[in-house]
């Protein structure tokens, strides 16, 4: 199999999504050097961010994230390709990284369901898919929980939140979602997944709806956290 892969890479070389150097047969999407430059989120930071983003609302029971999101760095380049260049396989790759590296925490949660933060149908049609769904598919390989895409639905189109502060994000996302299958969440332990968590407003809004519909506990999981 290695020889076949080497032949494919010879005739159809693959390049790192960040530095654009040629990938080796064993590398996927990012070269080993670029992966090594991505900052990991340590336990001290995660505790701080949980207290800052989630503790006060008492909605998200626990949360974890693999990386720290940094602008104009390797991870942003990879996420950009996932979201805007049709590279949905990047999502599965990243989900597997999350699942492998954070498996102990995910297993501790003992969740029944994994739900991606939904896109509005217009944005999904424009992009072609929901990037968080493919991240969930990768995570599922390391969890007994099942991935569902239609339990949380985005009923209202929202403006981009890139330049918004926390208050503006909460106002922007308020009443933007609905639960379509209430019976499926009752008494369940649920992981809600997003690609990057910034203020936590989106996942908190999803978590609130899930608890209102009878979910037992809601956990937040992401590829990266923006400080």
């Amino acid at each position: 199999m290695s020889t076949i892969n080497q032949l494919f890479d010879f005739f159809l070389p693959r390049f790192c999504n960040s530095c654009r150097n040629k990938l080796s047969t064993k590398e996927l999407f990012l070269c080993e050097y670029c992966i090594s430059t991505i900052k990991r989120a340590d336990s001290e930071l995660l505790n701080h961010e949980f207290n800052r983003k989630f503790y006060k609302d008492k909605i998200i029971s626990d949360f974890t994230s693999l990386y720290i999101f940094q602008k104009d760095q390797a991870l942003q380049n990879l996420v950009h390709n996932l979201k805007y260049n049709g590279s949905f396989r990047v999502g599965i790759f990243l989900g597997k990284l999350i699942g492998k590296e954070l498996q102990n925490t995910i297993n501790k949660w003992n969740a029944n369901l994994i739900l991606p933060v939904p896109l509005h149908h217009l944005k999904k049609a424009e992009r072609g898919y929901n990037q968080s769904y493919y991240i969930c598919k990768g995570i599922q390989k390391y969890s007994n929980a099942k991935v569902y895409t239609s339990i949380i639905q985005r009923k209202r189109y929202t403006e981009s939140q890139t330049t918004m502060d926390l208050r503006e994000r909460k106002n922007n996302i308020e009443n933007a979602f609905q639960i379509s299958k209430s019976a499926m969440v009752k008494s369940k332990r649920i992981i809600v997944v997003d690609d990057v968590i910034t203020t936590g407003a989106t996942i908190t809004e999803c978590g609130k709806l899930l608890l209102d519909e009878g979910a037992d506990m809601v956990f937040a999981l992401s590829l990266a956290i923006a400080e």
Side-chain angles (χ1 to χ4, degrees), residues 153-182:
Q153 295 181 342
R154 193 180 291 249
K155 64 180 181 180
R156 180 169 60 80
Y157 191 90
T158 54
E159 298 298 323
S160 172
Q161 301 191 139
T162 305
T163 60
M164 295 182 184
D165 60 23
L166 176 58
R167 180 183 59 80
E168 291 170 332
R169 285 171 181 256
K170 284 185 174 181
N171 290 338
N172 185 52
I173 211 71
E174 188 175 8
N175 298 320
F177 302 101
Q178 64 184 10
I179 305 299
S180 65
K181 299 178 180 179
S182 300

Side-chain angles (χ1 to χ4, degrees), residues 2 7 35 43 57 63 76 84 89 106 159 183 185-186 204:
S2 177
L7 285 172
I35 287 180
S43 58
D57 292 319
F63 115 101
Q76 184 181 31
Y84 304 114
R89 291 183 181 85
I106 294 170
E159 298 298 323
V185 307
K186 190 172 180 60
T204 297

Side-chain angles (χ1 to χ4, degrees), residues 121-173:
H121 66 89
L122 293 178
K123 188 172 289 186
K124 185 177 179 181
E126 177 185 345
R127 189 170 295 173
Y129 54 85
N130 180 356
Q131 74 279 355
S132 294
Y133 164 71
Y134 287 100
I135 294 174
C136 289
K137 292 293 288 182
I139 293 169
Q140 187 181 32
K141 296 181 181 297
Y142 294 87
S143 170
N144 293 323
K146 294 184 179 180
V147 175
Y148 290 93
T149 60
S150 58
I151 290 177
I152 308 175
Q153 295 181 342
R154 193 180 291 249
K155 64 180 181 180
R156 180 169 60 80
Y157 191 90
T158 54
E159 298 298 323
S160 172
Q161 301 191 139
T162 305
T163 60
M164 295 182 184
D165 60 23
L166 176 58
R167 180 183 59 80
E168 291 170 332
R169 285 171 181 256
K170 284 185 174 181
N171 290 338
N172 185 52
I173 211 71

